Amino acid sequence: MSNILAIAEKELRSYFASPIAYVIIGFFALVFGYFYIVSINFFLTQAMQMGIPGQGQVNINNMAIRPLLQNVSVVMLFVLPLITMRTYAEEKRSGTIELLLTSPITDFQIIMGKFLGAVGLFGLMLAVTLIHIAILFIYGNPEWKPIASGYLGLLLMGASFISVGLWISSLTRNQIVAGMVTFAVFLLLWTVTWAIDSAGPRLQKVLTAISITDHFDDFSKGVISVRHLVYYFSFITFGLFLTAKSVDSERWRG
């Protein structure tokens, strides 16, 4: 466990050793702030039109926070490839991958360390946005449970994307290629639900079951289901499994 944490700490330090982490966190906070203002303005407009601001039929969780978190999940498609594209590709480009693979550390420890480092950076990104949510509690009375479950859903979805991004990064030594392919795969996973309405009954069930967005939707409503937890943890495990196979093949080629 100590080796995993050491690698995770090294990964986090490497992000902040360059402008990458600051640019990503700043961009994410800026976009989140924009969507936050738009969502709150929409909520206030609807409340004023109904003549009962913040109460009754107007629910801030449903009309402001839930759309906000769903918009954030879209932003993740663009931001997370920037986090994962360098994890292995940079090691290969700089030639340090050989030193890493020949060190007395198992592939599992390397993969988990890099995974936790990337998830840690994503967790910091989400933590920065809590400042905006805190303002709602100061001046309003939102329900905290849907917010907590929504952030949990974002964290699990982000971890799922990161596990796939690690695998793609392990396949190439070019960061740009890794980032572009990762974004394309993320976009494909995101748009799976678009084919549900035109699919047959059986295919609809399959597409709904594998849709990463449908599983997040309940989290944004404040519903934490075992089925969704199993899906995300299975997704993460599968992504890390593919990464392990890729790293193992790299070791044998080396």
Side-chain angles (χ1 to χ4, degrees):
M1 188 64 182
S2 59
N3 288 336
I4 294 176
L5 295 178
I7 295 174
E9 183 182 354
K10 172 183 172 295
E11 286 295 310
L12 270 177
R13 284 203 309 268
S14 68
Y15 285 121
F16 286 96
S18 65
I20 293 176
Y22 302 100
V23 171
I24 292 175
I25 293 176
F27 173 76
F28 189 75
L30 181 65
V31 175
F32 184 93
Y34 170 76
F35 284 127
Y36 175 83
I37 293 173
V38 170
S39 299
I40 296 302
N41 282 338
F42 174 76
F43 167 74
L44 292 176
T45 301
Q46 294 299 311
M48 292 299 182
Q49 289 178 353
M50 294 182 182
I52 44 173
Q55 299 180 9
Q57 298 178 358
V58 183
N59 184 287
I60 191 170
N61 286 86
N62 292 334
M63 299 190 67
I65 298 176
R66 184 184 171 197
L68 172 63
L69 296 183
Q70 289 175 335
N71 287 332
V72 170
S73 66
V74 177
V75 178
M76 287 162 50
L77 299 179
F78 300 89
V79 174
L80 292 183
L82 301 177
I83 295 178
T84 62
M85 68 181 187
R86 62 171 300 281
T87 48
Y88 276 101
E90 176 62 20
E91 300 271 11
K92 289 184 177 183
R93 188 197 64 80
S94 62
T96 56
I97 187 68
E98 287 81 5
L99 294 174
L100 190 62
L101 294 178
T102 55
S103 63
I105 305 176
T106 64
D107 291 348
F108 173 79
Q109 291 173 331
I110 296 172
I111 293 168
M112 288 304 300
K114 287 182 173 293
F115 173 72
L116 292 179
V119 172
L121 178 58
F122 178 57
L124 289 175
M125 291 164 52
L126 292 180
V128 170
T129 65
L130 292 176
I131 298 173
H132 300 81
I133 303 300
I135 295 175
L136 292 181
F137 282 93
I138 294 174
Y139 295 100
N141 188 31
E143 300 177 46
W144 68 270
K145 290 182 180 180
I147 297 176
S149 65
Y151 269 82
L152 175 61
L154 287 177
L155 186 62
L156 290 174
M157 182 189 292
S160 300
F161 281 145
I162 287 171
S163 69
V164 175
L166 284 178
W167 170 56
I168 296 172
S169 180
S170 69
L171 299 175
T172 179
R173 62 177 63 246
N174 189 308
Q175 293 188 47
I176 304 300
V177 172
M180 294 298 294
V181 173
T182 302
F183 172 73
V185 172
F186 287 179
L187 188 62
L188 180 63
L189 291 171
W190 183 265
T191 56
V192 163
T193 52
W194 295 3
I196 290 179
D197 292 337
S198 59
R202 292 185 178 179
L203 185 57
Q204 281 183 352
K205 292 182 179 179
V206 174
L207 293 177
T208 301
I210 66 175
S211 170
I212 199 167
T213 55
D214 277 11
H215 287 278
F216 171 72
D217 192 49
D218 278 349
F219 282 97
S220 66
K221 297 176 183 176
V223 178
I224 300 178
S225 170
V226 174
R227 179 171 64 90
H228 301 319
L229 293 175
V230 170
Y231 168 82
Y232 281 122
F233 282 115
S234 298
F235 197 109
I236 293 169
T237 302
F238 183 64
L240 296 180
F241 170 77
L242 292 177
T243 306
K245 288 299 181 182
S246 176
V247 173
D248 186 56
S249 65
E250 182 73 24
R251 184 186 295 274
W252 281 105
R253 287 197 301 269

